[in-house]
Amino acid sequence: MTKIYEATVTAPVNIAVIKYWGKRDSALILPTNSSLSVTLSQDHLSTRTTIRASPEFSTDRLWLNGIEEDISASKRLVNSITTARKLRAALEKKQRDDGVASEDIVLLSEWSIHVCSENNFPTAAGLASSASGYAALVSALGALFQLPQSTSDLSRVARVGSGSACRSMFGGFVAWRAGESNDGSDSFAVQVADRHHWPDLQALILIVSEKKKTISSTAGMQTTVETSDLFAERVRNVVPKRMAAMEKAIAERDFGTFAEITMRDSNQFHAVCLDTYPPISYMNDVSRSIASIVHAFNTARGRAAAAYTYDAGPNAVIYALKDDMRDLAELVTYCFPRGSTILSEDFYADPFNMFGSADR
Ligand code: ADP
Ligand code: DP6
Ligand code: CO
């Protein structure tokens, strides 16, 4: 009889309010600065990954959205799988050392795996597919290998796949502590507050374009580190203060401060992209008009009632408190009548659960 072990997980995306952009070590994926994000509900944007292990598989294989990818061509895939396998091998060794009978130890660390992963939203379009993708991969490996490591420990494994993935290992509000070591032992994610901490906070996603970006996050941030003068100022003098202020704003549920820092940090990240040489523009005219609409809305309310943020792509994520979100979504629908902003019932039941679509 063929022996097959299998695990299936889903993992959410996270959208940073203090952006990670820049590596001090590209192989281990160690960032130049700490970052902070909100993990969104899995109901709309998520990755679902199934991994099977069998002694009869001859090589590791991976299918992403139904198409086979060459694992060996991707250092980050190899790194994350190898790191998880080493943890499994250590577990098997411990079982042996503890006197577990050899026929009761399953040598999963020695078997090849088949990975099947699906994103239910645009891949590589600035909606954090690498975050949910690698978080799902590592969570599935953790489940398959029955790894005893803590979530923060596993976030280090997700980090070697894609930096932002370490934050998708947790729900709620999550910080990625940059750390100072050369080996990455102190560079991992921690939850700063769970999702129930701020039930009125909602996220609205406006899909401006589903197209794959022309410059990946990995390539873009590498050019930024090499060429931007503004970047050093951001890392040294801006982000540390913002991390502290943001954590305080979240702890106090101070939306005005949360919103202003979120928008300023998104703007600075895109300014740093423009200061990169050759310059990088991830936002487009529709993205910029959405930002203007949010500012007009805030001016009309006389306070920061909504906050936009953009990752490495043109798509907008807007954070607002429940009462304001309904009005903001109506305004967006009015401004982009051909778009199909969805105001679903479950949006109101679920704090991080709204999905819309702006004009394309
Ligand atoms: P995004 O803004 O979507 O995170 P990135 O440029 O950071 O874009 O990363 C996109 C890349 O992440 C994809 O080209 C693919 O290599 C990888 N990726 C995305 N989803 C998955 C997944 N489910 N499993 C494995 N790798 C994935
Ligand atoms: C703009 O985590 O996708 O979304 O580590 O090279 O895989 P790699 O990059 P990635 O970069 C994310 C950049 C960002 C900001 C953020 O999520 O913090
Ligand atoms: Co990414």
Side-chain angles (χ1 to χ4, degrees):
M1 204 178 68
T2 312
K3 276 191 271 179
I4 290 191
Y5 283 72
E6 182 182 294
T8 297
V9 304
T10 57
V13 303
N14 72 78
I15 300 295
V17 290
I18 306 283
K19 304 291 187 194
Y20 146 56
W21 194 252
K23 296 180 180 72
R24 60 177 205 270
D25 183 317
S26 303
L28 292 172
I29 308 200
L30 301 179
T32 49
N33 59 266
S34 294
S35 54
L36 203 148
S37 56
V38 181
T39 295
L40 305 190
S41 151
Q42 296 194 37
D43 295 359
H44 291 296
L45 274 65
S46 65
T47 298
R48 183 182 169 87
T49 297
T50 297
I51 306 187
R52 290 176 155 205
S54 166
E56 305 200 347
F57 294 162
S58 52
T59 52
D60 292 337
R61 297 176 73 182
L62 177 141
W63 290 260
L64 172 55
N65 299 326
I67 297 167
E68 183 161 14
E69 307 257 314
D70 179 7
I71 292 188
S72 61
S74 163
K75 261 196 225 139
R76 40 185 58 211
L77 278 174
V78 172
N79 281 352
S80 32
I81 295 169
T82 307
T83 309
R85 239 186 214 128
K86 280 187 188 147
L87 296 175
R88 171 67 194 186
L91 178 65
E92 290 162 8
K93 179 177 181 307
K94 185 173 182 303
Q95 289 173 331
R96 268 193 302 276
D97 293 348
D98 289 349
V100 177
S102 60
E103 62 268 25
D104 293 335
I105 302 174
V106 185
L107 296 176
L108 285 173
S109 68
E110 296 175 9
W111 299 358
S112 289
I113 55 170
H114 287 182
V115 182
C116 181
S117 187
E118 301 271 346
N119 299 327
N120 69 354
F121 63 97
T123 298
L127 286 168
S129 70
S130 65
S132 57
Y134 279 95
L137 177 75
V138 171
S139 300
L141 286 168
L144 179 76
F145 292 163
Q146 300 190 316
L147 298 178
Q149 274 73 18
S150 70
T151 308
S152 277
D153 284 341
L154 289 179
S155 81
R156 264 194 241 114
V157 186
R159 190 204 73 221
V160 302
S162 174
S164 55
C166 73
R167 298 185 314 239
S168 269
M169 299 297 284
F170 289 97
F173 302 82
V174 187
W176 174 12
R177 308 286 183 213
E180 290 172 355
S181 70
N182 290 331
D183 65 358
S185 54
D186 57 355
S187 188
F188 53 81
V190 292
Q191 189 183 58
V192 297
D194 72 21
R195 58 175 297 173
H196 304 294
H197 169 71
W198 204 347
D200 280 353
L201 185 69
Q202 298 186 324
L204 169 65
I205 294 158
L206 300 170
I207 307 280
V208 173
S209 168
E210 300 194 356
K211 277 202 219 112
K212 188 172 169 166
K213 60 184 100 167
T214 51
I215 304 176
S216 71
S217 298
T218 311
M221 69 176 80
Q222 187 179 338
T223 315
T224 297
V225 172
E226 287 163 4
T227 64
S228 166
D229 300 324
L230 286 185
F231 174 71
E233 168 68 11
R234 164 171 172 76
V235 167
R236 207 171 304 138
N237 297 325
V238 181
V239 174
K241 286 185 200 127
R242 279 190 187 157
M243 281 297 290
M246 184 56 100
E247 285 185 52
K248 183 165 178 281
I250 290 168
E252 293 172 356
R253 290 185 278 265
D254 170 359
F255 186 79
T257 305
F258 173 90
E260 184 171 334
I261 300 174
T262 296
M263 291 186 281
R264 281 180 179 275
D265 204 70
S266 174
N267 293 340
Q268 188 177 70
F269 153 51
H270 291 280
V272 158
C273 286
L274 203 58
D275 189 49
T276 299
Y277 195 80
I280 304 170
S281 304
Y282 285 121
M283 292 170 68
N284 65 19
D285 285 348
V286 177
S287 322
R288 280 186 284 276
S289 68
I290 292 168
S292 301
I293 290 166
V294 170
H295 281 295
F297 182 75
N298 289 346
T299 302
R301 297 259 139 138
R303 61 193 162 88
Y308 53 77
T309 185
Y310 302 80
D311 272 359
N315 300 310
V317 175
I318 297 177
Y319 291 112
L321 298 180
K322 195 172 170 176
D323 288 345
D324 293 312
M325 187 61 98
R326 194 190 171 86
D327 298 340
L328 193 269
E330 273 175 21
L331 179 61
V332 170
T333 312
Y334 175 79
C335 296
F336 296 100
R338 287 189 292 125
S340 57
T341 303
I342 300 160
L343 280 166
S344 66
E345 278 301 310
D346 63 352
F347 162 57
Y348 294 101
D350 190 323
F352 299 113
N353 203 356
M354 186 164 180
F355 187 72
S357 174
D359 216 354
R360 283 170 203 231

